Amino acid sequence: MKTFKKSQIATSLSVVLGMGALSLAQAPVAYAAENAEQEIEVIEVTGIRGSTKASINGKRFADSQVDGIAAEDIGKLPDVTITDSLQRISGVQVERVAGEGGPVQIRGLPQVDTTMNGETFLSATTIDTAAADLGDLPAQLFGGVDVYKSATAGNVAQGIAGSIDLKTRRPFDMDEGWTFAGGIEATRGSITEETDPTLHGLASYNNGKIGVLISAVTQEATLATDYNGHNDTSENGGIGWTQNNHAWGEPSEGGDVYTIVPHGFTAFNKTEERERDALQLSVQADLGEGFILTADYFYTHQDRFNNRSGFNHNNRWQNYNEYAYATNYTGDSYTDANGEVWKGVDAYKMNPYRMQTFTQVNVNEEKSQNFNLQLDFDNGGNLTGTVRATHARATAKMRHAYGEGDLLSIDEGSRVLGPGGFNPAQYCTNGEEIIGSEGGCNAQYSTGIEDPNFQLTYDASGDHPAFGGFDQQVMGGKGMMSVADYMADLDSYHIGAFSSEGNTDDTGELSTFSTKWNYALDDNDFITSVDFGVRYSQRKVDHDQFTYTSTFGNGCDIAQWKAVDQQYGADCEGQAGTGEYVTDEEGNEVWTPYTLLAPTALDQYTTVSWQTDFGGVTGIPGIWVIDPENFRDPKQWHKDTFGNVQRTENGGATYDVGLDEISYFTQVNFEYEALSGNVGLKVIQTDLFVKQNLVGPNLPHSGLGPDIGDVVTERSYTDELLSMNLAYQATDDVVLRAAYSENMQALNLSQWGAGKTVGSVFNNDCNCMRVQNGSLNGNPELDPWRSENYSLSAEWYAGDASMFFISTYGIDIESFTEGATILVDEPDSDGVRRGPHPFSANVQGVGGDVSGYEVGGKVAFSDFLGEDSVLANVGMDVNYTYADSSQESKDINGKDLPFGGMSEDTYNAVVWYENDTFSARLAWNSRSPRLMSGGNANTGNQALYQDDYSQLDFNATYDFNETVSFYVNGSNITEEIQQTYIEFEKQKAFQNIYEARWTVGARVTF
């Protein structure tokens, strides 16, 4: 028999039962309940100490290695988001998106299964992914979260490093009678200076036979980030556009060494406006004879308007070796495999290939609905079980819009002469030379800068980048004056391009049917019970990517990029309004097409705004930008501006994937003296269906590969997954655990389904669209992630709300996918192959491992010093995680790279105070550098890393009485910065400057 103290069991179980944490899958908890006293008072979990106590007991009595978070009150997880609360758990790391917690990793790996009340569900932000991203789920609807670090056969989710189970409230978890709770709060960000409201409420009725619970949240938020550094348009930045100073030839300066050269340098403000509504409805009925029927409905709807605008200086995809020259080296260097010496650099001078402002908008609409119907059976006999069916549907729509304003003239003395300067006579009113048969000319696009000789500077050696050179006197359309003066003059700008590309429509459906049972053995001295069950899951995803194109020249041409460097195509020859004849040097009349986008002032089709705020960046004078408000409806804007708009599919990024799984499991639960545990086997049979598009040559004026047919792949695979969990009760308060499991997780469905996309830009030398890069991100033959996991832990339960632990783990990864850069000799638009070119791709990784340890403790000082101590109301929660990893990919020194996204060191420290009416909590989280993406030949194999990141959060709550509470939350109160670097800490790439967010609110419970 176990030697748990009976009084401890009764107290602990009352906490767990009060949170609704007891389930059929938790055999040790069920065993403890059978041996506890018959009448156990169910107590509510409230406050920091109560939450800590509940999470400790959830860990203590689980049948595997589990850590959890329990809400401190109805509608109050310990942090403002689920992800922020999860990061307090040892071994959990989070990435930040728009300053808030986003994707979650366990022990450094993002391959994390997520369930709701023990079954998989669909979130609108994870329709085609396998990762945990809880960005559209409001924390107020959840009563707790469990993180499983070891697998059991009966658990639906496994993941590679673990799984997360979100727990909603149900009416039978609540007190009998009516329960009402609600709250209102206002949040303000230090960058946006906008006040955002949140309103949430819960109503529950429970008479012991039937119960109904409904809870809802409505929220508005304005999140802001200041971004600066190397050019990249991905959400949090990347390395994909970076090359080197020898990429396209020997540079005229600094050619004795190799250095990183970005595509350009930028500084902009990024704001996301979010409106979120969520609803949870749960109905339960005690049907008698041990049957309880539960029906759940969970709904989310989220609208996001993500916009950014700012300054950009780049090489216009024309040159790297003569674009930016290093002016200061960091002192870091290495020699590559070819014997070339590379040096780290943190300052440049840049030639004026392109100087521009830009505005980019993503408009997102995301909805999800999850239904659950389950029948639980427990009549007090040996057999207990559940029959359950779920269905979910989620949709996500994204609409993109982009507009840029160029300051360098494309037809005068600028370094890069635009090919698209030829325009009809109506634009030839500024004294231009008439060269066309109908009065056409190379029109003057703006009174912008024409001087090709000035240089700007960029210095990233300080805390924030400093730009320079804007005080130089230059010649332009309005004569000699400073660069800054030209930037202040709205006449200096002309539109470079408009586009609406990469738009997506995603639809996902998930249906499951499962039944699982437990049979208790009364007379067996070793085996206490047997679990068994079967589950069927069907998941379907339809992913469409498309562009809003417009036709030109009465339909003879179609364009994604409505741009000054795009000319009417050959099919338009002779079509009125598309070109005219120009006499060449030999006296021949040659048909010469007009540009698609004629000279257009920045404010001709849009309103504009004056921008001077670039976060911590210095040196940039004010600029004129297109107001993002113009692009609230990208489709309508393009229709209004160009007279027509069509939806044109991007075949290389459109796919359908179906994933059907049927699984069977059996698990034996045993106990012998102080030893208990379980051994199980789960068999998963998977049928995979992938429909990809065959892709033809890109359409003109676009990166669109048209769909020219379908290719369907169907394959099946079977996994037999063994799991074992052991717990040894060394003393009344010390538990030793060991676990082993074989794990499998499906890939992100895009890694199976996505096809080929090609990025091209116009090049002067060939007068064609030249390939720059591309992606080959879908391969239906890729295997899922598979691993063998080991872990050992020791847990000392030192008091009512105190415990200490140490654990070690190892994950041997048999198969995985990794991002790689491969070289593809893709032809340019004129049919000539000038490659090879770097294409990003997902490839099969073979062999990798993750290992490390976790150590920490939760301490309520009253457990050790007594209730009369001056520290009786004080507690701490401190933990540290070490994670070491390796894979086949190598760094610049030939050593194994770590897995992407993994920090070697993660720290958490929480200090709290709580008395009868007041509580306060200060929480600090820190993680060491993490790999964001590996290097490639263009970067000399130098990889991109995020530097150390730490964040401090604060909460204080005052209970006015038993019903009303007031509180203040502070997130990122020290306004930390996400700094990245390429290989060397001083070789800075870009930074996201996150705002502090403060919330004041009131909560009512009765």
Side-chain angles (χ1 to χ4, degrees):
M1 292 290 293
K2 291 183 179 179
T3 55
F4 293 140
K5 292 181 180 179
K6 195 172 187 180
S7 61
Q8 288 179 333
I9 296 173
T11 302
S12 301
L13 280 174
S14 66
V15 175
V16 178
L17 283 167
M19 288 306 300
L22 187 63
S23 70
L24 290 170
Q26 293 174 312
V29 181
Y31 170 81
E34 294 168 5
N35 290 273
E37 296 168 337
Q38 293 296 313
E39 298 295 330
I40 299 176
E41 179 187 2
V42 177
I43 64 173
E44 286 188 42
V45 177
T46 58
I48 299 174
R49 184 185 176 96
S51 172
T52 301
K53 185 176 177 181
S55 64
I56 286 176
N57 282 284
K59 181 179 183 72
R60 184 172 190 174
F61 297 112
D63 63 351
S64 60
Q65 295 182 12
V66 179
D67 287 290
I69 302 163
E72 296 171 12
D73 202 346
I74 296 174
K76 185 178 185 295
L77 281 177
D79 292 273
V80 293
T81 70
I82 301 170
T83 303
D84 287 332
S85 290
L86 283 170
Q87 71 179 342
R88 314 297 175 198
I89 292 176
S90 62
V92 175
Q93 299 171 343
V94 305
E95 297 180 24
R96 312 204 77 79
V97 178
E100 288 191 336
V104 178
Q105 299 97 34
I106 297 178
R107 290 172 171 169
L109 295 174
Q111 286 68 38
V112 176
D113 274 339
T114 309
T115 58
M116 184 182 293
N117 299 319
E119 183 53 89
T120 53
F121 72 103
L122 268 186
S123 163
T125 54
T126 56
I127 287 178
D128 60 356
T129 68
D133 185 345
L134 313 176
D136 65 333
L137 304 178
Q140 293 87 349
L141 295 187
F142 296 93
V145 187
D146 284 336
V147 176
Y148 291 85
K149 298 176 181 177
S150 68
T152 62
N155 196 346
V156 168
Q158 286 186 305
I160 294 299
S163 63
I164 295 171
D165 185 37
L166 307 172
K167 299 184 291 187
T168 63
R169 289 181 173 82
R170 287 169 168 167
F172 282 0
D173 301 332
M174 312 299 289
D175 291 336
E176 289 199 9
W178 284 97
T179 300
F180 297 95
I184 186 170
E185 58 188 44
T187 302
R188 190 172 181 86
S190 60
I191 296 178
T192 62
E193 298 183 349
E194 297 282 343
T195 301
D196 305 317
T198 297
L199 182 66
H200 61 91
L202 175 147
S204 173
Y205 175 75
N206 172 21
N207 68 4
K209 285 294 185 181
I210 191 168
V212 180
L213 181 148
I214 185 169
S215 58
V217 178
T218 183
Q219 179 187 64
E220 295 180 9
T222 306
L223 308 170
T225 305
D226 290 326
Y227 176 100
N228 63 70
H230 296 182
N231 276 3
D232 198 291
T233 56
S234 56
E235 180 59 35
N236 280 348
I239 199 173
W241 294 5
T242 302
Q243 296 244 6
N244 65 79
N245 63 334
H246 289 73
W248 291 356
E250 188 77 12
S252 59
E253 296 184 32
D256 55 330
V257 298
Y258 277 66
T259 62
I260 291 291
V261 176
H263 169 262
F265 305 87
T266 188
F268 58 82
N269 302 134
K270 179 170 60 178
T271 301
E272 178 166 294
E273 300 172 17
R274 182 180 67 202
E275 296 180 1
R276 174 195 288 164
D277 298 306
L279 171 71
Q280 184 224 344
L281 174 65
S282 182
V283 179
Q284 290 184 290
D286 186 343
L287 306 180
E289 304 298 327
F291 290 98
I292 293 180
L293 182 67
T294 302
D296 299 304
Y297 172 66
F298 194 92
Y299 168 80
T300 64
H301 179 195
Q302 180 170 267
D303 292 326
R304 295 185 290 129
F305 181 67
N306 184 304
N307 65 87
R308 60 197 71 183
S309 61
F311 172 79
N312 188 281
H313 188 283
N314 64 72
N315 68 6
R316 201 173 184 175
W317 295 108
Q318 297 295 313
N319 206 311
Y320 279 93
N321 55 313
E322 300 297 348
Y323 165 57
Y325 311 110
T327 57
N328 191 66
Y329 299 112
T330 65
D332 305 293
S333 66
Y334 71 99
T335 302
D336 67 16
N338 298 320
E340 304 292 352
V341 176
W342 289 73
K343 288 188 176 182
V345 60
D346 60 10
Y348 298 85
K349 59 181 180 180
M350 300 93 72
N351 284 318
Y353 279 86
R354 172 174 278 182
M355 189 164 66
Q356 62 184 189
T357 67
F358 75 96
T359 297
Q360 178 175 301
V361 163
N362 291 334
V363 183
N364 297 75
E365 181 184 13
E366 297 150 340
K367 296 180 181 180
S368 67
Q369 298 182 84
N370 285 266
F371 301 87
N372 171 68
L373 183 65
Q374 69 184 75
L375 183 66
D376 297 319
F377 172 72
D378 184 357
N379 67 353
N382 292 47
L383 183 67
T384 59
T386 297
V387 178
R388 186 173 189 177
T390 69
H391 178 71
R393 177 179 171 84
T395 59
K397 299 179 180 180
M398 192 280 288
R399 301 295 184 262
H400 170 88
Y402 178 79
E404 62 190 19
D406 286 354
L407 283 121
L408 293 173
S409 174
I410 67 166
D411 59 324
E412 297 291 343
S414 58
R415 183 172 291 268
V416 180
L417 272 185
F422 189 57
N423 279 278
Q426 67 190 87
Y427 298 101
C428 303
T429 58
N430 298 300
E432 297 92 344
E433 179 186 1
I434 304 303
I435 60 175
S437 59
E438 298 178 22
C441 67
N442 289 320
Q444 180 177 322
Y445 271 71
S446 68
T447 57
I449 303 168
E450 301 166 5
D451 194 328
N453 299 312
F454 74 95
Q455 292 181 323
L456 299 185
T457 62
Y458 175 86
D459 186 345
S461 60
D463 292 337
H464 304 290
F467 285 82
F470 298 99
D471 57 347
Q472 294 174 82
Q473 296 293 306
V474 294
M475 178 59 71
K478 291 192 175 181
M480 185 69 70
M481 59 184 183
S482 71
V483 176
D485 287 338
Y486 270 103
M487 295 169 70
D489 188 342
L490 186 58
D491 292 340
S492 299
Y493 298 76
H494 67 83
I495 294 296
F498 290 119
S499 70
S500 176
E501 57 195 83
N503 304 304
T504 57
D505 280 339
D506 287 334
T507 301
E509 291 191 36
L510 173 66
S511 299
T512 73
F513 176 81
S514 62
T515 181
K516 58 182 179 180
W517 298 83
N518 173 270
Y519 187 80
L521 303 176
D522 294 331
D523 301 324
N524 195 296
D525 294 333
F526 179 63
I527 299 176
T528 58
S529 66
V530 176
D531 292 301
F532 53 94
V534 62
R535 176 178 179 269
Y536 173 73
S537 170
Q538 183 183 69
R539 184 179 178 189
K540 297 184 294 184
V541 168
D542 181 354
H543 174 83
D544 293 336
Q545 188 186 100
F546 60 94
T547 286
Y548 286 135
T549 59
S550 296
T551 58
F552 292 82
N554 293 321
C556 68
D557 208 350
I558 185 172
Q560 165 183 330
W561 301 316
K562 297 89 171 178
V564 297
D565 59 2
Q566 302 295 307
Q567 300 168 301
Y568 282 95
D571 292 342
C572 293
E573 182 172 352
Q575 178 71 42
T578 66
E580 54 191 279
Y581 289 95
V582 174
T583 303
D584 66 11
E585 295 179 356
E586 285 75 30
N588 300 314
E589 288 195 337
V590 178
W591 175 261
T592 304
Y594 296 141
T595 60
L596 289 182
L597 189 64
T600 304
L602 190 67
D603 60 348
Q604 182 169 334
Y605 299 127
T606 61
T607 57
V608 296
S609 58
W610 178 247
Q611 183 172 326
T612 58
D613 182 10
F614 302 97
V617 174
T618 58
I620 305 175
I623 57 173
W624 288 100
V625 298
I626 297 171
D627 192 327
E629 290 294 324
N630 290 278
F631 298 143
R632 285 280 179 178
D633 186 342
K635 180 180 180 180
Q636 188 63 46
W637 185 89
H638 278 262
K639 182 178 180 179
D640 292 343
T641 303
F642 300 105
N644 68 91
V645 66
Q646 300 83 37
R647 172 175 171 148
T648 303
E649 298 293 324
N650 185 2
T654 297
Y655 55 85
D656 295 333
V657 176
L659 190 70
D660 292 357
E661 293 180 339
I662 185 166
S663 61
Y664 315 84
F665 83 91
T666 184
Q667 178 173 293
V668 175
N669 307 302
F670 57 86
E671 182 175 346
Y672 180 74
E673 296 183 347
L675 179 69
S676 64
N678 55 73
V679 176
L681 176 67
K682 178 188 288 186
V683 178
I684 305 177
Q685 297 174 347
T686 303
D687 294 324
L688 177 65
F689 169 89
V690 179
K691 186 178 78 171
Q692 298 171 290
N693 294 325
L694 297 172
V695 181
N698 280 5
L699 297 176
H701 320 299
S702 78
L704 295 171
D707 177 5
I708 60 173
D710 296 330
V711 56
V712 174
T713 302
E714 296 184 72
R715 55 183 288 229
S716 300
Y717 53 86
T718 300
D719 289 271
E720 298 173 352
L721 307 175
L722 181 67
S723 63
M724 179 177 65
N725 290 272
L726 301 176
Y728 181 75
Q729 190 73 30
T731 71
D732 285 355
D733 300 319
V734 175
V735 180
L736 307 178
R737 298 185 190 269
Y740 167 80
S741 65
E742 299 168 343
N743 292 12
M744 181 274 289
Q745 185 176 29
L747 304 182
N748 293 342
L749 302 190
S750 60
Q751 293 177 296
W752 279 318
K756 179 175 72 174
T757 58
V758 180
S760 303
V761 297
F762 192 90
N763 183 269
N764 290 327
D765 296 336
C766 67
N767 197 35
C768 68
M769 298 298 294
R770 281 196 60 173
V771 176
Q772 300 299 313
N773 49 38
S775 63
L776 293 168
N777 288 331
N779 181 356
E781 299 301 328
L782 290 173
D783 290 330
W785 282 66
R786 294 187 173 103
S787 68
E788 290 187 60
N789 295 27
Y790 313 81
S791 59
L792 298 170
S793 68
E795 303 159 5
W796 174 34
Y797 295 91
D800 193 39
S802 302
M803 64 90 63
F804 302 90
F805 68 90
I806 184 170
S807 62
T808 183
Y809 61 88
I811 305 173
D812 290 335
I813 302 176
E814 174 189 344
S815 72
F816 63 97
T817 61
E818 58 184 343
T821 299
I822 62 176
L823 296 178
V824 178
D825 195 8
E826 185 77 14
D828 296 326
S829 65
D830 60 358
V832 178
R833 297 181 184 271
R834 298 179 175 90
H837 307 285
F839 275 56
S840 62
N842 285 304
V843 299
Q844 194 77 60
V846 180
D849 65 86
V850 179
S851 62
Y853 60 87
E854 302 167 4
V855 60
K858 301 176 186 288
V859 176
F861 286 108
S862 60
D863 286 343
F864 301 94
L865 304 177
E867 298 294 337
D868 297 329
S869 168
V870 68
L871 296 176
N873 297 322
V874 177
M876 297 182 66
D877 184 351
V878 180
N879 61 66
Y880 165 75
T881 301
Y882 172 77
D884 187 24
S885 66
S886 64
Q887 56 172 309
E888 290 289 314
S889 298
K890 308 298 181 183
D891 65 11
I892 61 172
N893 299 310
K895 297 180 180 180
D896 293 348
L897 281 172
F899 274 96
M902 177 176 294
S903 293
E904 192 170 82
D905 305 294
T906 307
Y907 306 86
N908 279 293
V910 178
V911 179
W912 55 266
Y913 172 87
E914 183 176 59
N915 61 26
D916 291 340
T917 60
F918 177 77
S919 64
R921 178 174 172 270
L922 197 62
W924 175 73
N925 173 268
S926 180
R927 59 184 299 182
S928 62
R930 67 181 179 93
L931 175 68
M932 296 183 70
S933 61
N936 53 60
N938 297 322
T939 67
N941 221 34
Q942 296 178 75
L944 177 69
Y945 293 87
Q946 177 187 304
D947 208 347
D948 295 317
Y949 182 83
S950 301
Q951 183 164 310
L952 187 65
D953 302 323
F954 170 79
N955 169 264
T957 301
Y958 171 67
D959 297 325
F960 181 76
N961 52 38
E962 293 184 356
T963 301
V964 180
S965 299
F966 301 96
Y967 56 91
V968 176
N969 289 323
S971 177
N972 189 29
I973 61 177
T974 55
E975 298 182 298
E976 293 300 321
I977 297 169
Q978 180 205 50
Q979 178 67 60
T980 68
Y981 59 87
I982 299 177
E983 198 62 45
F984 307 114
E985 186 176 342
K986 293 182 180 179
Q987 187 168 253
K988 299 175 182 177
F990 58 86
Q991 60 182 210
N992 284 293
I993 304 173
Y994 298 132
E995 64 180 348
R997 293 184 63 78
W998 288 93
T999 300
V1000 295
R1003 189 168 40 251
V1004 178
T1005 305
F1006 58 92

